[in-house]
Amino acid sequence: AQSVAQPEDQVNVAEGNPLTVKCTYSVSGNPYLFWYVQYPNRGLQFLLKYITGDNLVKGSYGFEAEFNKSQTSFHLKKPSALVSDSALYFCAVRNSGGYQKVTFGTGTKLQVIP
Amino acid sequence: NAGVTQTPKFQVLKTGQSMTLQCAQDMNHEYMSWYRQDPGMGLRLIHYSVGAGITDQGEVPNGYNVSRSTTEDFPLRLLSAAPSQTSVYFCASSYGRRETQHFGDGTRLSIL
């Protein structure tokens, strides 16, 4: 069975500092990996995805993520955090073969402190 | 485009009542899914559909039914509401397996 782990329930970072939100996954075969963000009382919004190709993926709002196959990780990063980045972040994985369900992590709350 | 539209936004039910959560998308997406979001548990898949007339169970299907008679609509039915079904429900759609999912804004459901 596929799974996603987001080991930190909450990450606090000062405005202007770099941020990292961690994600590791387990899946048979090649993974499709996604990051979504959720603001209060809203649905999830897509940030970026890794399907194939370059291990460094750039997405919306200045976010990027690095796919590391040997460590089965897909950490979300941003060079300089903004207060408006404060939200709930979800990592998700899907197997690339056949129709496989998407599995989400439990989410990490990012708090950017002014 | 409206994207994914969920109705109602809020609902309070009594134990044993039934209801249907509506989900509609106007993007001609083949794939649609229902999730529930509970604190500390992330999103868990209830049911999904890969096209009109085709549905399958997710992780937590018990107590819920779905059907997909058109590409646009994917309603979720609670057969006999239980307090354990108090949650926020999200509908999502995507064009294909590799594509990102588009989410509605959710239905906040309380079962008393």
Side-chain angles (χ1 to χ4, degrees), chain B residues 38-101:
Chain B
D38 302 292
M41 303 192 74
L43 275 75
R44 292 181 293 169
L45 183 66
I46 305 172
H47 286 285
Y48 66 96
S49 170
V50 300
I54 306 169
T55 63
D56 205 349
Q57 296 181 351
E59 301 173 64
V60 288
N62 292 341
Y64 308 95
N65 272 357
V66 292
S67 60
R68 183 101 179 266
S69 57
T70 67
T71 300
E72 294 79 16
D73 299 301
F74 191 44
L76 178 72
R77 281 181 287 276
L78 277 70
L79 308 174
S80 178
S84 61
Q85 294 178 304
T86 294
S87 187
V88 182
Y89 291 84
F90 288 99
C91 179
S93 72
S94 64
Y95 186 69
R97 291 184 293 107
R98 295 162 58 111
E99 304 307 317
T100 64
Q101 294 188 80

Side-chain angles (χ1 to χ4, degrees), chain A residues 32 34 36 38 41-44 46 49 51-52 88 90 94-102 104-107, chain B residues 31 33 35 37 40-43 45 48 50 57-59 90 94 96-101 103-106 108:
Chain A
Y32 293 160
F34 304 83
Y36 291 86
Q38 185 181 33
N41 299 315
R42 299 298 304 274
L44 278 66
F46 168 74
K49 66 179 178 182
I51 302 297
T52 187
L88 189 58
F90 288 96
R94 167 179 268 167
N95 185 292
S96 61
Y99 180 79
Q100 294 291 334
K101 307 155 195 175
V102 176
F104 285 83
T106 52
Chain B
Y31 294 77
S33 302
Y35 296 90
Q37 183 178 23
M41 303 192 74
L43 275 75
L45 183 66
Y48 66 96
V50 300
Q57 296 181 351
E59 301 173 64
F90 288 99
S94 64
R97 291 184 293 107
R98 295 162 58 111
E99 304 307 317
T100 64
Q101 294 188 80
F103 285 82
D105 282 339
R108 285 147 185 84

